[in-house]
Each structure stands twice: as structure tokens, then as C-alpha cells.
Amino acid sequence: EPEVTQTPSHQVTQMGQEVILRCVPISNHLYFYWYRQILGQKVEFLVSFYNNEISEKSEIFDDQFSVERPDGSNFTLKIRSTKLEDSAMYFCASSGGGPAAFFGQGTRLTVV
Amino acid sequence: DQQVKQNSPSLSVQEGRISILNCDYTNSMFDYFLWYKKYPAEGPTFLISISSIKDKNEDGRFTVFLNKSAKHLSLHIVPSQPGDSAVYFCAASAYSGAGSYQLTFGKGTKLSVIP
């Protein structure tokens, strides 16, 4: 069964450092998303991406965040200068169109 | 911001009985509602969805009911099995026009099915 894969599963970084979280969406999907879940809180939408551009972003997704689809298979989330409050589980998701998105297993980001 | 609310943080049910998970929403613009299941250290897994123009959708042991006037939906699992033990998230979306659907999640309900 096709699935969304994310790497790494756990990333520890120092405050102020840049991190790149990587995702391989399901191959025939066209819509890509990043969500995050801070410990004990809800899963929150960050950004959606279609046709090589951002289609929607939340107010969490400020200038420190960027997304890219560098080739035909990868989808990345970059945080330029990490803060302690960026510590969370980051989920990549994809869909072929329609509201049901399929999620990866997540990357746990810990900023120290 | 509490657009999607799951008021029960946990629920315990005997194996073979019905599990009913509830969800309320406040935003009338939502046009799709979804349920996801999540095991520890995994991402949310899509279970079932319902369009706002329907009041029921069924898939095997899972049925979702939507009451638009009450802004309430529920997920019924029958019969419940121990493997159903997980956190269940209610999510809602409103089509943004670009083909993408932004999901708004509830806090989740942890279901424990007791053998």
C-alpha cells in the first residue's frame, strides 16, 4: 500500500540552527501539506502546496518557514532559525484531490 | 480557537460492544468531516469521511453520522475490537478553491477497547 514517508524520524537541533524536514509523498498525489502537533495540543495546519507553489498557509507559517519540492519525489519543510517553541511533531501529508489527506509517520523535532 | 471540539478525552468500551465517539464544530463553512485514527509514534490514519450534504456514511464496522443543525458528528464502531484502541481525531475542512483542503482537528479521544 502506498504511503507517505518522512525523514528523519527524530531531529535534535540547537536553537538558531536551520533544519530541513523531508517527505516523500504518495507518488500520484498532487497536493502536499505540512502539519504540526506540539506535545499535548491539537494537530495544526501549517501549509498546503500545489503545482509548485503554496496554495494556503496558516499564521504559524511565518518567514522562518519555507517549503520546496526540489525534484519529482521529495517535499521539504525548512525552518531557518529554530526556536524552542518549534519543538513538535511535524507531519507531512498528501492527497490526490479531495479532503482526505494521507499522513506520514512524523518527524519529532526537538530544539535545545 | 475551538472550531472542532472533542469533549471526551477518553473512552473505555468492552470488546464486541459499540464505541461512540463524538465531535462538535462551530464553523458553518465546513463542508467535509473526517475521522482519523492514531497509534503512538505513528501519523494519523484516515478512517472515514462525510460530506456536509449527507447525514450518514458507512464503511464496514465504521459509521459516521452528521447532524448539521446541531453541528455535531459521531463515529460509531461496531463491534469494537482491541485493535481499535487508539486516539481518534475528528477533523473538518472547508474547500479553499485551489484544490487543497485545510484540515482543522479536534484534540482527540483516546479509545480503549477492553478484551
Side-chain angles (χ1 to χ4, degrees), chain A residues 31 33 35 37 42-43 45 48 50 55-56 91 98-101 103-105, chain B residues 1-2 4 32 34 36 38 43-44 46 93 96 98-103 105 107:
Chain A
Y31 301 89
Y33 305 87
Y35 287 79
Q37 185 179 28
K42 294 183 178 186
V43 177
F45 169 79
S48 60
Y50 169 71
S55 30
E56 273 190 290
F91 295 107
F103 285 75
Q105 83 280 16
Chain B
D1 179 1
Q2 289 272 359
V4 177
Y32 273 96
L34 305 91
Y36 282 83
K38 186 179 180 304
F46 171 69
S93 77
S96 65
S100 66
Y101 290 81
Q102 174 182 333
L103 296 176
F105 283 84
K107 280 191 165 184

PDB file of all heavy atoms in Angstrom, chain A residues 31 33 35 37 42-43 45 48 50 55-56 91 98-101 103-105, chain B residues 1-2 4 32 34 36 38 43-44 46 93 96 98-103 105 107:
ATOM      1  N   TYR A  31      -1.324  17.176  -4.143  1.00  0.00           N
ATOM      2  CA  TYR A  31      -1.452  18.190  -3.097  1.00  0.00           C
ATOM      3  C   TYR A  31      -0.634  17.745  -1.891  1.00  0.00           C
ATOM      4  O   TYR A  31      -0.743  16.594  -1.456  1.00  0.00           O
ATOM      5  CB  TYR A  31      -2.927  18.381  -2.698  1.00  0.00           C
ATOM      6  CG  TYR A  31      -3.792  18.803  -3.851  1.00  0.00           C
ATOM      7  CD1 TYR A  31      -4.411  17.857  -4.665  1.00  0.00           C
ATOM      8  CD2 TYR A  31      -3.965  20.150  -4.161  1.00  0.00           C
ATOM      9  CE1 TYR A  31      -5.177  18.236  -5.744  1.00  0.00           C
ATOM     10  CE2 TYR A  31      -4.735  20.536  -5.244  1.00  0.00           C
ATOM     11  CZ  TYR A  31      -5.332  19.565  -6.034  1.00  0.00           C
ATOM     12  OH  TYR A  31      -6.083  19.948  -7.113  1.00  0.00           O
ATOM     13  N   TYR A  33       1.031  18.759   2.072  1.00  0.00           N
ATOM     14  CA  TYR A  33       0.734  19.535   3.277  1.00  0.00           C
ATOM     15  C   TYR A  33       1.792  19.286   4.345  1.00  0.00           C
ATOM     16  O   TYR A  33       2.399  18.215   4.401  1.00  0.00           O
ATOM     17  CB  TYR A  33      -0.626  19.099   3.869  1.00  0.00           C
ATOM     18  CG  TYR A  33      -1.798  19.169   2.922  1.00  0.00           C
ATOM     19  CD1 TYR A  33      -2.098  18.102   2.082  1.00  0.00           C
ATOM     20  CD2 TYR A  33      -2.614  20.298   2.873  1.00  0.00           C
ATOM     21  CE1 TYR A  33      -3.182  18.155   1.212  1.00  0.00           C
ATOM     22  CE2 TYR A  33      -3.695  20.355   2.002  1.00  0.00           C
ATOM     23  CZ  TYR A  33      -3.971  19.275   1.182  1.00  0.00           C
ATOM     24  OH  TYR A  33      -5.044  19.340   0.322  1.00  0.00           O
ATOM     25  N   TYR A  35       1.718  19.662   8.621  1.00  0.00           N
ATOM     26  CA  TYR A  35       1.008  19.920   9.859  1.00  0.00           C
ATOM     27  C   TYR A  35       1.998  19.735  11.001  1.00  0.00           C
ATOM     28  O   TYR A  35       3.032  19.083  10.835  1.00  0.00           O
ATOM     29  CB  TYR A  35      -0.150  18.928  10.059  1.00  0.00           C
ATOM     30  CG  TYR A  35      -1.342  19.151   9.162  1.00  0.00           C
ATOM     31  CD1 TYR A  35      -1.331  18.714   7.838  1.00  0.00           C
ATOM     32  CD2 TYR A  35      -2.477  19.798   9.632  1.00  0.00           C
ATOM     33  CE1 TYR A  35      -2.432  18.920   7.011  1.00  0.00           C
ATOM     34  CE2 TYR A  35      -3.581  20.002   8.816  1.00  0.00           C
ATOM     35  CZ  TYR A  35      -3.546  19.559   7.509  1.00  0.00           C
ATOM     36  OH  TYR A  35      -4.637  19.766   6.695  1.00  0.00           O
ATOM     37  N   GLN A  37       2.184  19.071  15.508  1.00  0.00           N
ATOM     38  CA  GLN A  37       1.478  18.844  16.771  1.00  0.00           C
ATOM     39  C   GLN A  37       2.459  19.070  17.906  1.00  0.00           C
ATOM     40  O   GLN A  37       3.386  18.272  18.104  1.00  0.00           O
ATOM     41  CB  GLN A  37       0.894  17.436  16.838  1.00  0.00           C
ATOM     42  CG  GLN A  37       0.044  17.195  18.082  1.00  0.00           C
ATOM     43  CD  GLN A  37      -0.554  15.803  18.143  1.00  0.00           C
ATOM     44  OE1 GLN A  37      -0.010  14.844  17.608  1.00  0.00           O
ATOM     45  NE2 GLN A  37      -1.696  15.673  18.824  1.00  0.00           N
ATOM     46  N   LYS A  42      -3.385  20.239  19.762  1.00  0.00           N
ATOM     47  CA  LYS A  42      -4.016  19.732  18.559  1.00  0.00           C
ATOM     48  C   LYS A  42      -3.021  19.652  17.409  1.00  0.00           C
ATOM     49  O   LYS A  42      -2.007  20.355  17.391  1.00  0.00           O
ATOM     50  CB  LYS A  42      -5.134  20.687  18.124  1.00  0.00           C
ATOM     51  CG  LYS A  42      -6.306  20.783  19.054  1.00  0.00           C
ATOM     52  CD  LYS A  42      -7.346  21.703  18.448  1.00  0.00           C
ATOM     53  CE  LYS A  42      -8.559  21.794  19.336  1.00  0.00           C
ATOM     54  NZ  LYS A  42      -9.651  22.569  18.716  1.00  0.00           N
ATOM     55  N   VAL A  43      -3.368  18.826  16.434  1.00  0.00           N
ATOM     56  CA  VAL A  43      -2.667  18.844  15.155  1.00  0.00           C
ATOM     57  C   VAL A  43      -3.078  20.137  14.438  1.00  0.00           C
ATOM     58  O   VAL A  43      -4.275  20.430  14.310  1.00  0.00           O
ATOM     59  CB  VAL A  43      -3.045  17.617  14.308  1.00  0.00           C
ATOM     60  CG1 VAL A  43      -2.378  17.682  12.941  1.00  0.00           C
ATOM     61  CG2 VAL A  43      -2.663  16.328  15.034  1.00  0.00           C
ATOM     62  N   PHE A  45      -2.615  22.877  11.098  1.00  0.00           N
ATOM     63  CA  PHE A  45      -2.227  23.072   9.702  1.00  0.00           C
ATOM     64  C   PHE A  45      -1.133  24.130   9.608  1.00  0.00           C
ATOM     65  O   PHE A  45      -1.188  25.173  10.266  1.00  0.00           O
ATOM     66  CB  PHE A  45      -3.455  23.532   8.926  1.00  0.00           C
ATOM     67  CG  PHE A  45      -3.183  24.028   7.542  1.00  0.00           C
ATOM     68  CD1 PHE A  45      -2.970  23.139   6.500  1.00  0.00           C
ATOM     69  CD2 PHE A  45      -3.156  25.393   7.275  1.00  0.00           C
ATOM     70  CE1 PHE A  45      -2.733  23.604   5.217  1.00  0.00           C
ATOM     71  CE2 PHE A  45      -2.918  25.865   5.994  1.00  0.00           C
ATOM     72  CZ  PHE A  45      -2.704  24.969   4.967  1.00  0.00           C
ATOM     73  N   SER A  48      -0.193  24.336   2.657  1.00  0.00           N
ATOM     74  CA  SER A  48      -0.524  23.412   1.564  1.00  0.00           C
ATOM     75  C   SER A  48       0.212  23.867   0.309  1.00  0.00           C
ATOM     76  O   SER A  48       0.502  25.065   0.135  1.00  0.00           O
ATOM     77  CB  SER A  48      -2.028  23.349   1.320  1.00  0.00           C
ATOM     78  OG  SER A  48      -2.546  24.615   0.979  1.00  0.00           O
ATOM     79  N   TYR A  50       0.662  23.128  -4.039  1.00  0.00           N
ATOM     80  CA  TYR A  50       0.127  22.503  -5.243  1.00  0.00           C
ATOM     81  C   TYR A  50       0.740  23.177  -6.452  1.00  0.00           C
ATOM     82  O   TYR A  50       0.899  24.413  -6.475  1.00  0.00           O
ATOM     83  CB  TYR A  50      -1.398  22.634  -5.279  1.00  0.00           C
ATOM     84  CG  TYR A  50      -2.026  22.263  -6.603  1.00  0.00           C
ATOM     85  CD1 TYR A  50      -2.060  20.942  -7.019  1.00  0.00           C
ATOM     86  CD2 TYR A  50      -2.569  23.241  -7.446  1.00  0.00           C
ATOM     87  CE1 TYR A  50      -2.622  20.591  -8.245  1.00  0.00           C
ATOM     88  CE2 TYR A  50      -3.129  22.897  -8.664  1.00  0.00           C
ATOM     89  CZ  TYR A  50      -3.152  21.575  -9.053  1.00  0.00           C
ATOM     90  OH  TYR A  50      -3.710  21.222 -10.256  1.00  0.00           O
ATOM     91  N   SER A  55      -0.456  27.071  -1.752  1.00  0.00           N
ATOM     92  CA  SER A  55      -1.846  27.444  -2.008  1.00  0.00           C
ATOM     93  C   SER A  55      -2.506  28.059  -0.770  1.00  0.00           C
ATOM     94  O   SER A  55      -3.350  28.933  -0.899  1.00  0.00           O
ATOM     95  CB  SER A  55      -2.677  26.271  -2.533  1.00  0.00           C
ATOM     96  OG  SER A  55      -2.242  25.044  -2.081  1.00  0.00           O
ATOM     97  N   GLU A  56      -2.096  27.597   0.421  1.00  0.00           N
ATOM     98  CA  GLU A  56      -2.612  28.201   1.653  1.00  0.00           C
ATOM     99  C   GLU A  56      -1.537  28.086   2.725  1.00  0.00           C
ATOM    100  O   GLU A  56      -0.753  27.134   2.711  1.00  0.00           O
ATOM    101  CB  GLU A  56      -3.817  27.413   2.173  1.00  0.00           C
ATOM    102  CG  GLU A  56      -5.155  27.791   1.638  1.00  0.00           C
ATOM    103  CD  GLU A  56      -6.252  27.104   2.423  1.00  0.00           C
ATOM    104  OE1 GLU A  56      -6.395  25.866   2.294  1.00  0.00           O
ATOM    105  OE2 GLU A  56      -6.951  27.780   3.191  1.00  0.00           O
ATOM    106  N   PHE A  91       4.159  16.614  10.707  1.00  0.00           N
ATOM    107  CA  PHE A  91       3.582  15.599   9.825  1.00  0.00           C
ATOM    108  C   PHE A  91       3.473  16.152   8.408  1.00  0.00           C
ATOM    109  O   PHE A  91       2.939  17.236   8.192  1.00  0.00           O
ATOM    110  CB  PHE A  91       2.181  15.193  10.290  1.00  0.00           C
ATOM    111  CG  PHE A  91       2.145  14.501  11.622  1.00  0.00           C
ATOM    112  CD1 PHE A  91       1.666  15.144  12.742  1.00  0.00           C
ATOM    113  CD2 PHE A  91       2.581  13.191  11.742  1.00  0.00           C
ATOM    114  CE1 PHE A  91       1.621  14.506  13.977  1.00  0.00           C
ATOM    115  CE2 PHE A  91       2.542  12.538  12.968  1.00  0.00           C
ATOM    116  CZ  PHE A  91       2.068  13.202  14.087  1.00  0.00           C
ATOM    117  N   GLY A  98      -9.460  16.160  -3.150  1.00  0.00           N
ATOM    118  CA  GLY A  98     -10.448  15.749  -2.158  1.00  0.00           C
ATOM    119  C   GLY A  98      -9.917  16.000  -0.767  1.00  0.00           C
ATOM    120  O   GLY A  98      -8.721  16.222  -0.573  1.00  0.00           O
ATOM    121  N   PRO A  99     -10.779  15.951   0.216  1.00  0.00           N
ATOM    122  CA  PRO A  99     -10.394  16.381   1.561  1.00  0.00           C
ATOM    123  C   PRO A  99      -9.552  15.382   2.355  1.00  0.00           C
ATOM    124  O   PRO A  99      -8.897  15.778   3.319  1.00  0.00           O
ATOM    125  CB  PRO A  99     -11.741  16.583   2.250  1.00  0.00           C
ATOM    126  CG  PRO A  99     -12.690  15.691   1.517  1.00  0.00           C
ATOM    127  CD  PRO A  99     -12.220  15.682   0.103  1.00  0.00           C
ATOM    128  N   ALA A 100      -9.550  14.114   1.974  1.00  0.00           N
ATOM    129  CA  ALA A 100      -8.820  13.130   2.781  1.00  0.00           C
ATOM    130  C   ALA A 100      -7.334  13.202   2.471  1.00  0.00           C
ATOM    131  O   ALA A 100      -6.908  12.932   1.347  1.00  0.00           O
ATOM    132  CB  ALA A 100      -9.344  11.728   2.527  1.00  0.00           C
ATOM    133  N   ALA A 101      -6.542  13.571   3.456  1.00  0.00           N
ATOM    134  CA  ALA A 101      -5.095  13.610   3.304  1.00  0.00           C
ATOM    135  C   ALA A 101      -4.495  12.403   4.008  1.00  0.00           C
ATOM    136  O   ALA A 101      -5.017  11.932   5.024  1.00  0.00           O
ATOM    137  CB  ALA A 101      -4.550  14.903   3.910  1.00  0.00           C
ATOM    138  N   PHE A 103      -1.229  10.806   5.866  1.00  0.00           N
ATOM    139  CA  PHE A 103      -0.135  11.350   6.656  1.00  0.00           C
ATOM    140  C   PHE A 103       1.046  10.394   6.745  1.00  0.00           C
ATOM    141  O   PHE A 103       0.879   9.168   6.760  1.00  0.00           O
ATOM    142  CB  PHE A 103      -0.630  11.641   8.082  1.00  0.00           C
ATOM    143  CG  PHE A 103      -1.488  12.874   8.190  1.00  0.00           C
ATOM    144  CD1 PHE A 103      -2.802  12.868   7.733  1.00  0.00           C
ATOM    145  CD2 PHE A 103      -0.981  14.039   8.745  1.00  0.00           C
ATOM    146  CE1 PHE A 103      -3.598  14.013   7.825  1.00  0.00           C
ATOM    147  CE2 PHE A 103      -1.772  15.175   8.841  1.00  0.00           C
ATOM    148  CZ  PHE A 103      -3.062  15.166   8.384  1.00  0.00           C
ATOM    149  N   GLY A 104       2.223  10.980   6.854  1.00  0.00           N
ATOM    150  CA  GLY A 104       3.411  10.224   7.182  1.00  0.00           C
ATOM    151  C   GLY A 104       3.475   9.948   8.678  1.00  0.00           C
ATOM    152  O   GLY A 104       2.609  10.388   9.441  1.00  0.00           O
ATOM    153  N   GLN A 105       4.529   9.275   9.079  1.00  0.00           N
ATOM    154  CA  GLN A 105       4.657   8.869  10.478  1.00  0.00           C
ATOM    155  C   GLN A 105       5.175   9.998  11.368  1.00  0.00           C
ATOM    156  O   GLN A 105       5.156   9.890  12.579  1.00  0.00           O
ATOM    157  CB  GLN A 105       5.566   7.623  10.604  1.00  0.00           C
ATOM    158  CG  GLN A 105       7.071   7.919  10.619  1.00  0.00           C
ATOM    159  CD  GLN A 105       7.651   8.152   9.233  1.00  0.00           C
ATOM    160  OE1 GLN A 105       6.945   8.389   8.249  1.00  0.00           O
ATOM    161  NE2 GLN A 105       8.969   8.085   9.155  1.00  0.00           N
TER     162      GLN A 105
ATOM    163  N   ASP B   1      -9.074  29.144  19.912  1.00  0.00           N
ATOM    164  CA  ASP B   1      -9.713  28.675  18.673  1.00  0.00           C
ATOM    165  C   ASP B   1     -10.203  27.248  18.883  1.00  0.00           C
ATOM    166  O   ASP B   1      -9.417  26.338  18.967  1.00  0.00           O
ATOM    167  CB  ASP B   1      -8.714  28.752  17.535  1.00  0.00           C
ATOM    168  CG  ASP B   1      -9.301  28.244  16.221  1.00  0.00           C
ATOM    169  OD1 ASP B   1     -10.482  27.850  16.217  1.00  0.00           O
ATOM    170  OD2 ASP B   1      -8.607  28.251  15.220  1.00  0.00           O
ATOM    171  N   GLN B   2     -11.511  27.077  18.982  1.00  0.00           N
ATOM    172  CA  GLN B   2     -12.076  25.765  19.273  1.00  0.00           C
ATOM    173  C   GLN B   2     -13.117  25.430  18.220  1.00  0.00           C
ATOM    174  O   GLN B   2     -14.234  25.086  18.537  1.00  0.00           O
ATOM    175  CB  GLN B   2     -12.716  25.764  20.660  1.00  0.00           C
ATOM    176  CG  GLN B   2     -11.726  25.826  21.782  1.00  0.00           C
ATOM    177  CD  GLN B   2     -11.264  24.435  22.203  1.00  0.00           C
ATOM    178  OE1 GLN B   2     -11.698  23.421  21.666  1.00  0.00           O
ATOM    179  NE2 GLN B   2     -10.376  24.383  23.159  1.00  0.00           N
ATOM    180  N   VAL B   4     -13.329  22.918  16.279  1.00  0.00           N
ATOM    181  CA  VAL B   4     -13.679  21.496  16.315  1.00  0.00           C
ATOM    182  C   VAL B   4     -13.378  21.004  17.721  1.00  0.00           C
ATOM    183  O   VAL B   4     -12.249  21.143  18.206  1.00  0.00           O
ATOM    184  CB  VAL B   4     -12.863  20.683  15.279  1.00  0.00           C
ATOM    185  CG1 VAL B   4     -13.189  19.205  15.392  1.00  0.00           C
ATOM    186  CG2 VAL B   4     -13.139  21.198  13.877  1.00  0.00           C
ATOM    187  N   TYR B  32     -16.683  19.247   4.736  1.00  0.00           N
ATOM    188  CA  TYR B  32     -16.329  17.832   4.866  1.00  0.00           C
ATOM    189  C   TYR B  32     -15.876  17.583   6.289  1.00  0.00           C
ATOM    190  O   TYR B  32     -15.234  18.436   6.905  1.00  0.00           O
ATOM    191  CB  TYR B  32     -15.180  17.461   3.911  1.00  0.00           C
ATOM    192  CG  TYR B  32     -15.632  17.074   2.534  1.00  0.00           C
ATOM    193  CD1 TYR B  32     -15.639  18.003   1.507  1.00  0.00           C
ATOM    194  CD2 TYR B  32     -16.063  15.777   2.262  1.00  0.00           C
ATOM    195  CE1 TYR B  32     -16.063  17.651   0.243  1.00  0.00           C
ATOM    196  CE2 TYR B  32     -16.486  15.421   0.998  1.00  0.00           C
ATOM    197  CZ  TYR B  32     -16.483  16.364  -0.006  1.00  0.00           C
ATOM    198  OH  TYR B  32     -16.904  16.017  -1.257  1.00  0.00           O
ATOM    199  N   LEU B  34     -14.055  14.457   8.748  1.00  0.00           N
ATOM    200  CA  LEU B  34     -13.259  13.244   8.621  1.00  0.00           C
ATOM    201  C   LEU B  34     -12.908  12.717  10.017  1.00  0.00           C
ATOM    202  O   LEU B  34     -12.836  13.483  10.979  1.00  0.00           O
ATOM    203  CB  LEU B  34     -11.946  13.529   7.875  1.00  0.00           C
ATOM    204  CG  LEU B  34     -12.067  14.182   6.501  1.00  0.00           C
ATOM    205  CD1 LEU B  34     -12.016  15.717   6.594  1.00  0.00           C
ATOM    206  CD2 LEU B  34     -10.952  13.702   5.588  1.00  0.00           C
ATOM    207  N   TYR B  36      -9.866  10.377  11.847  1.00  0.00           N
ATOM    208  CA  TYR B  36      -8.550   9.771  11.741  1.00  0.00           C
ATOM    209  C   TYR B  36      -8.285   8.982  13.019  1.00  0.00           C
ATOM    210  O   TYR B  36      -8.743   9.333  14.108  1.00  0.00           O
ATOM    211  CB  TYR B  36      -7.467  10.847  11.592  1.00  0.00           C
ATOM    212  CG  TYR B  36      -7.358  11.450  10.217  1.00  0.00           C
ATOM    213  CD1 TYR B  36      -8.196  12.486   9.803  1.00  0.00           C
ATOM    214  CD2 TYR B  36      -6.396  10.985   9.325  1.00  0.00           C
ATOM    215  CE1 TYR B  36      -8.085  13.038   8.534  1.00  0.00           C
ATOM    216  CE2 TYR B  36      -6.280  11.539   8.053  1.00  0.00           C
ATOM    217  CZ  TYR B  36      -7.120  12.553   7.669  1.00  0.00           C
ATOM    218  OH  TYR B  36      -7.001  13.088   6.417  1.00  0.00           O
ATOM    219  N   LYS B  38      -5.069   7.331  15.348  1.00  0.00           N
ATOM    220  CA  LYS B  38      -3.620   7.499  15.516  1.00  0.00           C
ATOM    221  C   LYS B  38      -3.114   6.583  16.619  1.00  0.00           C
ATOM    222  O   LYS B  38      -3.577   6.639  17.765  1.00  0.00           O
ATOM    223  CB  LYS B  38      -3.287   8.957  15.841  1.00  0.00           C
ATOM    224  CG  LYS B  38      -1.783   9.240  15.885  1.00  0.00           C
ATOM    225  CD  LYS B  38      -1.509  10.686  16.192  1.00  0.00           C
ATOM    226  CE  LYS B  38      -0.011  10.969  16.241  1.00  0.00           C
ATOM    227  NZ  LYS B  38       0.717  10.124  17.193  1.00  0.00           N
ATOM    228  N   GLY B  43       1.727   8.467  12.337  1.00  0.00           N
ATOM    229  CA  GLY B  43       0.916   9.589  11.911  1.00  0.00           C
ATOM    230  C   GLY B  43      -0.556   9.228  11.920  1.00  0.00           C
ATOM    231  O   GLY B  43      -0.919   8.056  12.024  1.00  0.00           O
ATOM    232  N   PRO B  44      -1.434  10.228  11.813  1.00  0.00           N
ATOM    233  CA  PRO B  44      -2.875   9.954  11.732  1.00  0.00           C
ATOM    234  C   PRO B  44      -3.195   9.122  10.489  1.00  0.00           C
ATOM    235  O   PRO B  44      -2.643   9.374   9.421  1.00  0.00           O
ATOM    236  CB  PRO B  44      -3.501  11.348  11.631  1.00  0.00           C
ATOM    237  CG  PRO B  44      -2.464  12.288  12.164  1.00  0.00           C
ATOM    238  CD  PRO B  44      -1.149  11.675  11.810  1.00  0.00           C
ATOM    239  N   PHE B  46      -6.243   7.945   7.976  1.00  0.00           N
ATOM    240  CA  PHE B  46      -7.607   8.281   7.556  1.00  0.00           C
ATOM    241  C   PHE B  46      -8.519   7.071   7.709  1.00  0.00           C
ATOM    242  O   PHE B  46      -8.184   5.955   7.309  1.00  0.00           O
ATOM    243  CB  PHE B  46      -7.596   8.748   6.103  1.00  0.00           C
ATOM    244  CG  PHE B  46      -8.967   8.907   5.516  1.00  0.00           C
ATOM    245  CD1 PHE B  46      -9.814   9.908   5.945  1.00  0.00           C
ATOM    246  CD2 PHE B  46      -9.410   8.032   4.521  1.00  0.00           C
ATOM    247  CE1 PHE B  46     -11.081  10.048   5.411  1.00  0.00           C
ATOM    248  CE2 PHE B  46     -10.664   8.169   3.982  1.00  0.00           C
ATOM    249  CZ  PHE B  46     -11.505   9.177   4.430  1.00  0.00           C
ATOM    250  N   SER B  93     -13.034  20.296   7.211  1.00  0.00           N
ATOM    251  CA  SER B  93     -12.364  21.124   6.213  1.00  0.00           C
ATOM    252  C   SER B  93     -13.370  21.962   5.447  1.00  0.00           C
ATOM    253  O   SER B  93     -14.545  21.616   5.330  1.00  0.00           O
ATOM    254  CB  SER B  93     -11.570  20.264   5.239  1.00  0.00           C
ATOM    255  OG  SER B  93     -12.425  19.643   4.308  1.00  0.00           O
ATOM    256  N   SER B  96     -10.901  25.525  -0.135  1.00  0.00           N
ATOM    257  CA  SER B  96     -10.363  26.868  -0.262  1.00  0.00           C
ATOM    258  C   SER B  96     -10.390  27.392  -1.687  1.00  0.00           C
ATOM    259  O   SER B  96     -10.145  28.555  -1.933  1.00  0.00           O
ATOM    260  CB  SER B  96      -8.922  26.890   0.242  1.00  0.00           C
ATOM    261  OG  SER B  96      -8.121  26.087  -0.609  1.00  0.00           O
ATOM    262  N   ALA B  98      -8.451  26.249  -4.281  1.00  0.00           N
ATOM    263  CA  ALA B  98      -7.260  25.921  -5.074  1.00  0.00           C
ATOM    264  C   ALA B  98      -7.065  24.414  -5.182  1.00  0.00           C
ATOM    265  O   ALA B  98      -6.029  23.960  -5.623  1.00  0.00           O
ATOM    266  CB  ALA B  98      -6.028  26.559  -4.458  1.00  0.00           C
ATOM    267  N   GLY B  99      -8.067  23.637  -4.761  1.00  0.00           N
ATOM    268  CA  GLY B  99      -7.936  22.186  -4.792  1.00  0.00           C
ATOM    269  C   GLY B  99      -7.423  21.614  -3.497  1.00  0.00           C
ATOM    270  O   GLY B  99      -7.459  20.408  -3.297  1.00  0.00           O
ATOM    271  N   SER B 100      -6.898  22.464  -2.627  1.00  0.00           N
ATOM    272  CA  SER B 100      -6.373  21.964  -1.360  1.00  0.00           C
ATOM    273  C   SER B 100      -7.417  22.135  -0.262  1.00  0.00           C
ATOM    274  O   SER B 100      -8.277  23.024  -0.334  1.00  0.00           O
ATOM    275  CB  SER B 100      -5.082  22.691  -0.983  1.00  0.00           C
ATOM    276  OG  SER B 100      -5.327  24.038  -0.708  1.00  0.00           O
ATOM    277  N   TYR B 101      -7.362  21.264   0.718  1.00  0.00           N
ATOM    278  CA  TYR B 101      -8.296  21.261   1.834  1.00  0.00           C
ATOM    279  C   TYR B 101      -7.512  21.391   3.128  1.00  0.00           C
ATOM    280  O   TYR B 101      -6.728  20.516   3.470  1.00  0.00           O
ATOM    281  CB  TYR B 101      -9.099  19.966   1.874  1.00  0.00           C
ATOM    282  CG  TYR B 101     -10.099  19.810   0.754  1.00  0.00           C
ATOM    283  CD1 TYR B 101      -9.717  19.369  -0.501  1.00  0.00           C
ATOM    284  CD2 TYR B 101     -11.444  20.099   0.965  1.00  0.00           C
ATOM    285  CE1 TYR B 101     -10.645  19.223  -1.523  1.00  0.00           C
ATOM    286  CE2 TYR B 101     -12.383  19.942  -0.047  1.00  0.00           C
ATOM    287  CZ  TYR B 101     -11.973  19.507  -1.298  1.00  0.00           C
ATOM    288  OH  TYR B 101     -12.888  19.362  -2.294  1.00  0.00           O
ATOM    289  N   GLN B 102      -7.717  22.476   3.833  1.00  0.00           N
ATOM    290  CA  GLN B 102      -7.063  22.677   5.118  1.00  0.00           C
ATOM    291  C   GLN B 102      -7.895  21.981   6.183  1.00  0.00           C
ATOM    292  O   GLN B 102      -9.079  22.280   6.328  1.00  0.00           O
ATOM    293  CB  GLN B 102      -6.965  24.167   5.409  1.00  0.00           C
ATOM    294  CG  GLN B 102      -6.430  24.502   6.786  1.00  0.00           C
ATOM    295  CD  GLN B 102      -6.407  25.998   7.020  1.00  0.00           C
ATOM    296  OE1 GLN B 102      -6.301  26.773   6.075  1.00  0.00           O
ATOM    297  NE2 GLN B 102      -6.504  26.418   8.265  1.00  0.00           N
ATOM    298  N   LEU B 103      -7.272  21.047   6.913  1.00  0.00           N
ATOM    299  CA  LEU B 103      -7.980  20.317   7.950  1.00  0.00           C
ATOM    300  C   LEU B 103      -7.819  21.010   9.297  1.00  0.00           C
ATOM    301  O   LEU B 103      -6.722  21.419   9.664  1.00  0.00           O
ATOM    302  CB  LEU B 103      -7.451  18.887   8.064  1.00  0.00           C
ATOM    303  CG  LEU B 103      -7.653  17.986   6.838  1.00  0.00           C
ATOM    304  CD1 LEU B 103      -6.993  16.635   7.055  1.00  0.00           C
ATOM    305  CD2 LEU B 103      -9.133  17.809   6.551  1.00  0.00           C
ATOM    306  N   PHE B 105      -8.398  20.164  13.217  1.00  0.00           N
ATOM    307  CA  PHE B 105      -8.531  18.968  14.046  1.00  0.00           C
ATOM    308  C   PHE B 105      -9.097  19.281  15.426  1.00  0.00           C
ATOM    309  O   PHE B 105      -8.879  20.370  15.980  1.00  0.00           O
ATOM    310  CB  PHE B 105      -7.156  18.308  14.243  1.00  0.00           C
ATOM    311  CG  PHE B 105      -6.673  17.516  13.062  1.00  0.00           C
ATOM    312  CD1 PHE B 105      -6.020  18.134  12.005  1.00  0.00           C
ATOM    313  CD2 PHE B 105      -6.867  16.149  13.010  1.00  0.00           C
ATOM    314  CE1 PHE B 105      -5.575  17.402  10.914  1.00  0.00           C
ATOM    315  CE2 PHE B 105      -6.421  15.406  11.933  1.00  0.00           C
ATOM    316  CZ  PHE B 105      -5.771  16.033  10.883  1.00  0.00           C
ATOM    317  N   LYS B 107      -9.056  17.774  19.539  1.00  0.00           N
ATOM    318  CA  LYS B 107      -7.946  17.357  20.396  1.00  0.00           C
ATOM    319  C   LYS B 107      -7.794  15.848  20.478  1.00  0.00           C
ATOM    320  O   LYS B 107      -6.769  15.367  20.941  1.00  0.00           O
ATOM    321  CB  LYS B 107      -8.138  17.909  21.808  1.00  0.00           C
ATOM    322  CG  LYS B 107      -7.748  19.348  21.968  1.00  0.00           C
ATOM    323  CD  LYS B 107      -7.704  19.752  23.437  1.00  0.00           C
ATOM    324  CE  LYS B 107      -6.981  21.063  23.598  1.00  0.00           C
ATOM    325  NZ  LYS B 107      -6.838  21.441  25.005  1.00  0.00           N
TER     326      LYS B 107
END
